[in-house]
Amino acid sequence: MAHDDPRPVKPGKRATINDVARIAEVSKKTVSRVINQSPFVREDTRERVNAVIKELGFTPDPQARGLAFRRSFLVGMIYDNPSPTYVVNMQQGVLDALKGSGLELVVHPCLRTSPTLLEDIRGFVERQRLFGVIMPPSMSEDENVIALLKELDTPYVRIASVALDEPQSMVVTNDWIGAAEAAYHLADLGHRKIALVRGLDLFRSSQTRGKGFSDALAERGIPLPPEYDIHGAYTFESGIEAGHQLLSLPEPPTAIFTLNDDMAIGVMQAARDRGLELPRDLSIVGFDDLPMAARVWPNLSSVRLPIRDMGRMAAEKLLAPMRGIDPAQLEQPEIRPALIVRKSAVPAD
């Protein structure tokens, strides 16, 4: 407790913010946040600081009150995503929300498998003195990164396929629903030999989308044998490789679902390389509904995620406390993926 501190305030000397921070064993920034009633302080820490403030009779001066806001006017987007179109769409959504706020966006691409990942992110956050951080998948799924941001007392919002955090820190995209829709669509077209190209295991979206698809196939009594269930890397090139692997099987699939559009277009390329006519010889469905889905031929049926809206919603949650709004109470629609049917999937023969 504060009265046990070996270095109390000298008699007759007015307590300072440094004294409060030292005795409460927190940073000056944390003391200022408590003074300014910031929502970004743990309750036990808030109680401890307030107890010290009361014990010392500390009254902050106006200079000290400004300390809590001595951050930059920068919002960081930290990401590890191999799809450049996805990243750009997400950035546009964040910028939509930041318009008129006085805040700017700074992006920081990372490699989640890097041995220096946490060190790099710590340097980025501290150098830029970020107002807050937005993390799309799969960076949003890394609990070590979340622990680091909490240690740095940096507000964050993460976007993920399932709820991983408190509502005020999450935008949930419900990917399972969209993948299940794709499975029902291919089953309704009469396909029974249906293959799945997953993404990287590191991405929770790959697990969630894959489960939605396989669960829905099972519900329709359609098997997903191991040779039809393979991994890609969420890239165009890995889609080509996966397409060749599946189409070289003794009994190739009549339909393929890929867990993003980049891989779907890679599968299209592999099919053409093998002399197949699309969509007559092979039906293909992707996920994300990136702009390119409507531009390739045949136009790609794809599960649409409102990626730009997702970025905007995450930024709105990050800005809510600054606007005097509880981010957990922010009125935002639930994100529900929806299959956009185009020309790339047709009835089975």
Side-chain angles (χ1 to χ4, degrees), residues 26 41 46 57 64 90 92 97-98 104 113 119 130 141 161 165 169 202 212 233-234 239 244 256 297 323 333 335 337:
V26 297
V41 181
R46 188 188 306 280
M90 182 71 66
Q92 287 173 332
L98 295 186
E104 301 291 345
T113 53
E119 184 185 325
L130 295 176
E141 301 155 4
S161 55
D165 211 319
S169 301
L202 189 64
Y234 277 152
H244 282 299
I256 298 175
W297 183 258
R323 294 168 171 165
I335 292 172

Side-chain angles (χ1 to χ4, degrees), residues 64-143:
R65 289 189 69 83
L67 185 64
F69 304 102
R70 205 173 287 166
R71 287 188 180 277
S72 71
F73 294 96
L74 297 175
V75 169
M77 187 172 113
I78 301 175
Y79 66 91
D80 174 8
N81 193 301
S83 171
T85 311
Y86 182 101
V87 172
V88 169
N89 282 358
M90 182 71 66
Q91 286 178 32
Q92 287 173 332
V94 174
L95 291 170
D96 289 342
L98 295 186
K99 200 172 293 178
S101 70
L103 297 169
E104 301 291 345
L105 175 65
V106 56
V107 297
H108 188 70
C110 291
L111 188 62
R112 266 187 77 189
T113 53
S114 167
T116 61
L117 175 68
L118 294 179
E119 184 185 325
D120 294 344
I121 291 177
R122 179 186 292 274
F124 171 61
V125 172
E126 290 181 338
R127 272 193 316 275
Q128 304 292 344
R129 297 181 296 116
L130 295 176
F131 173 86
V133 168
I134 291 168
M135 286 174 296
S138 74
M139 193 57 68
S140 59
E141 301 155 4
D142 195 315
E143 296 303 329

Side-chain angles (χ1 to χ4, degrees), residues 14-17 20 35 52-54 56-62 64-65:
R14 185 170 177 268
T16 68
I17 193 170
V20 176
I35 292 166
V52 174
I53 287 173
K54 185 177 179 183
L56 296 182
F58 171 71
T59 52
D61 60 38
R65 289 189 69 83

Side-chain angles (χ1 to χ4, degrees), residues 5-305:
D5 188 88
R7 296 170 295 166
V9 180
K10 290 179 182 177
K13 188 184 173 194
R14 185 170 177 268
T16 68
I17 193 170
N18 289 326
D19 295 322
V20 176
R22 171 174 56 82
I23 296 170
E25 297 181 333
V26 297
S27 67
K28 284 200 297 182
K29 189 190 301 179
T30 299
V31 175
S32 287
R33 285 190 163 168
V34 172
I35 292 166
N36 287 285
Q37 300 180 335
S38 164
F40 303 117
V41 181
R42 283 171 41 185
E43 199 50 44
D44 58 336
T45 304
R46 188 188 306 280
E47 289 173 5
R48 188 166 78 249
V49 171
N50 278 327
V52 174
I53 287 173
K54 185 177 179 183
E55 183 174 335
L56 296 182
F58 171 71
T59 52
D61 60 38
Q63 296 282 345
R65 289 189 69 83
L67 185 64
F69 304 102
R70 205 173 287 166
R71 287 188 180 277
S72 71
F73 294 96
L74 297 175
V75 169
M77 187 172 113
I78 301 175
Y79 66 91
D80 174 8
N81 193 301
S83 171
T85 311
Y86 182 101
V87 172
V88 169
N89 282 358
M90 182 71 66
Q91 286 178 32
Q92 287 173 332
V94 174
L95 291 170
D96 289 342
L98 295 186
K99 200 172 293 178
S101 70
L103 297 169
E104 301 291 345
L105 175 65
V106 56
V107 297
H108 188 70
C110 291
L111 188 62
R112 266 187 77 189
T113 53
S114 167
T116 61
L117 175 68
L118 294 179
E119 184 185 325
D120 294 344
I121 291 177
R122 179 186 292 274
F124 171 61
V125 172
E126 290 181 338
R127 272 193 316 275
Q128 304 292 344
R129 297 181 296 116
L130 295 176
F131 173 86
V133 168
I134 291 168
M135 286 174 296
S138 74
M139 193 57 68
S140 59
E141 301 155 4
D142 195 315
E143 296 303 329
N144 291 323
V145 173
I146 299 302
L148 172 63
L149 293 174
K150 287 178 177 175
E151 178 198 327
L152 295 173
D153 203 18
T154 301
Y156 65 83
V157 176
R158 44 179 168 168
I159 302 163
S161 55
V162 293
L164 302 172
D165 211 319
E166 299 302 317
Q168 64 265 28
S169 301
M170 280 299 315
V171 172
V172 181
T173 58
N174 300 302
D175 292 24
W176 190 99
I177 296 169
E181 263 200 61
Y184 296 142
H185 177 59
L186 291 172
D188 289 345
L189 288 172
H191 292 280
R192 291 296 175 268
K193 293 191 288 185
I194 304 173
L196 168 63
V197 182
R198 299 175 184 265
L200 298 161
D201 272 339
L202 189 64
F203 283 61
R204 188 178 288 262
S205 62
S206 179
Q207 301 165 33
T208 308
R209 294 174 185 182
K211 187 167 186 346
F213 189 74
S214 58
D215 285 354
L217 285 186
E219 188 183 312
R220 293 295 179 89
I222 300 172
L224 183 64
E227 65 271 23
Y228 279 10
D229 186 355
I230 65 174
H231 280 82
Y234 277 152
T235 62
F236 171 74
E237 291 77 14
S238 70
I240 293 176
E241 189 177 330
H244 282 299
Q245 183 179 333
L246 290 167
L247 296 172
S248 64
L249 290 171
E251 283 195 46
T254 62
I256 298 175
F257 175 55
T258 69
L259 297 193
N260 80 345
D261 289 346
D262 296 81
M263 293 193 298
I265 294 167
V267 169
M268 285 181 163
Q269 183 64 50
R272 289 197 178 93
D273 289 346
R274 303 179 81 85
L276 300 185
E277 185 179 324
L278 301 175
R280 186 193 67 187
D281 299 327
L282 179 68
S283 289
I284 302 170
V285 176
F287 201 113
D288 287 336
D289 194 35
L290 298 177
M292 69 179 88
R295 297 170 186 162
V296 294
W297 183 258
N299 304 146
L300 179 65
S301 294
S302 182
V303 177
R304 174 176 291 169
L305 267 182

